[in-house]
Amino acid sequence: MRNHFIKDYIGPPFDWFGPIHLILLGITLVLSLLILLWKPACRGRVLFRYSVAALLVVNSIAWHWWKASVGEWTIQEMLPLHLSGILVWLVPVMLIIRSRSLFVFAFYAGIPGTLLALLFPQLGIYNFPHFRVLSFFIAHILLLIAPLYMIRTEGMRPVWKEVWAVFGIMVAYTALMMVMNPLLGSNYLFVNSYPEVSETPFLWRWPWYVIMEAFGALGSMILLYLPFGFRDLIRLKHV
C-alpha cells in the first residue's frame, strides 16, 4: 500500500494505450455519454454540481499535500498557473454559481487541453494505482464532464464570438506568463523554453512550437463550436 504514495515508485511506468490506459479512457467515455444522456431533477442537479466541485477541490488539495510531503512542492512548479491548475479552481466556482463566463472558458480552453492530457498523460515513473495517477485522472475526467453537464443539464451553449474572446484571453495569458516565468524562475505553460521532461513528441522546437500550439488551440476551439454552428444553420433553414 505504501508504494502507492511514495515518491520513488517501484514498478513499471504508465503505458500509453496499454490495458490500464484503455480502461481509464473507456471510463471517461462512458461517464461523458452518461452526462450527455442524463436529465436529473432539480435536487439531483444541485447534488451533482456540489459533489463534483467538492471532489475537484479535495483532489487538488490532496495533490498539493502529496507534493509537499515528498519534498517536491515549489513555486516554480506548483502554483495554479498551468491551464489545468487554473481550471481545477475555476470549474468548482462555475458549478456552484452556474457562471456562464466560466463555462465558456472551461469549454473552449479546458476541453482541448483536457482531452490531450487524457490521451497522452505525463505521469513519469508512476503507474496505476499510485496516487499520482489516480489524482491526475480524477481531475481531468471531472474537468471534461463538468462543461458537458452545463450544456446538457443547465442549458448553456457556446456561441461563435466567444471563440475569439477565449482565444484572446489565452494569448494575453500566454504573454503574461512569458513575463512572469523569468521572475519566478519557472516555465508555466512551457512558453519560455522547451519542456525538459516530456513524453509527447514535439514536431517544432522552441519558440516555434508555442506559435503552432496557439494555432492548434484556435483550431480546436473552432471544432468544438462546429456542432452548435451546424445545428443553428439547420434551424435557420427550417424557419
Side-chain angles (χ1 to χ4, degrees), residues 189-202:
L189 298 186
F190 305 116
V191 294
N192 287 72
S193 63
Y194 185 78
E196 292 182 4
V197 178
S198 176
E199 301 165 17
T200 306
F202 281 75

Side-chain angles (χ1 to χ4, degrees), residues 9-161:
Y9 175 74
I10 302 172
F14 194 84
D15 182 21
W16 283 357
F17 303 107
I20 292 175
H21 192 194
L22 291 177
I23 290 172
L24 291 170
L25 291 177
I27 292 172
T28 304
L29 178 60
V30 170
L31 289 176
S32 300
L33 291 175
L34 289 176
I35 290 297
L36 293 174
L37 295 172
W38 186 44
K39 197 68 174 179
C42 183
R43 183 176 297 179
R45 296 181 185 185
V46 174
L47 179 61
F48 178 84
R49 290 190 290 108
Y50 277 78
S51 296
V52 172
L55 186 53
L56 274 169
V57 171
V58 170
N59 184 66
S60 183
I61 292 173
W63 165 238
H64 283 267
W65 171 84
W66 181 78
K67 291 290 281 187
S69 69
V70 298
E72 289 189 347
W73 199 103
T74 66
I75 63 171
Q76 287 75 29
E77 293 184 356
M78 293 301 296
L79 294 181
L81 296 178
H82 282 301
L83 185 56
S84 59
I86 296 172
L87 287 168
V88 294
W89 298 105
L90 291 185
V91 167
V93 177
M94 174 198 78
L95 289 167
I96 292 172
I97 69 175
R98 291 181 287 183
S99 167
R100 172 169 174 77
S101 298
L102 293 180
F103 156 73
V104 170
F105 185 78
F107 179 79
Y108 280 126
I111 289 181
T114 298
L115 286 173
L116 187 64
L118 288 168
L119 289 173
F120 304 104
Q122 306 294 312
L123 296 170
I125 65 172
Y126 303 103
N127 199 352
F128 183 86
H130 191 277
F131 169 78
R132 171 74 179 95
V133 178
L134 291 174
S135 177
F136 176 90
F137 276 93
I138 288 172
H140 287 84
I141 290 173
L142 294 179
L143 291 179
L144 176 63
I145 67 173
L148 297 181
Y149 163 84
M150 299 299 285
I151 293 171
R152 170 60 178 155
T153 305
E154 300 296 333
M156 296 186 182
R157 57 149 293 177
V159 298
W160 174 245
K161 66 180 180 180

Side-chain angles (χ1 to χ4, degrees), residues 161-175 218 221:
K161 66 180 180 180
E162 291 166 342
V163 171
W164 303 101
V166 174
F167 182 69
I169 291 172
M170 290 306 301
V171 170
Y173 182 65
T174 299
L218 178 59
M221 292 179 193

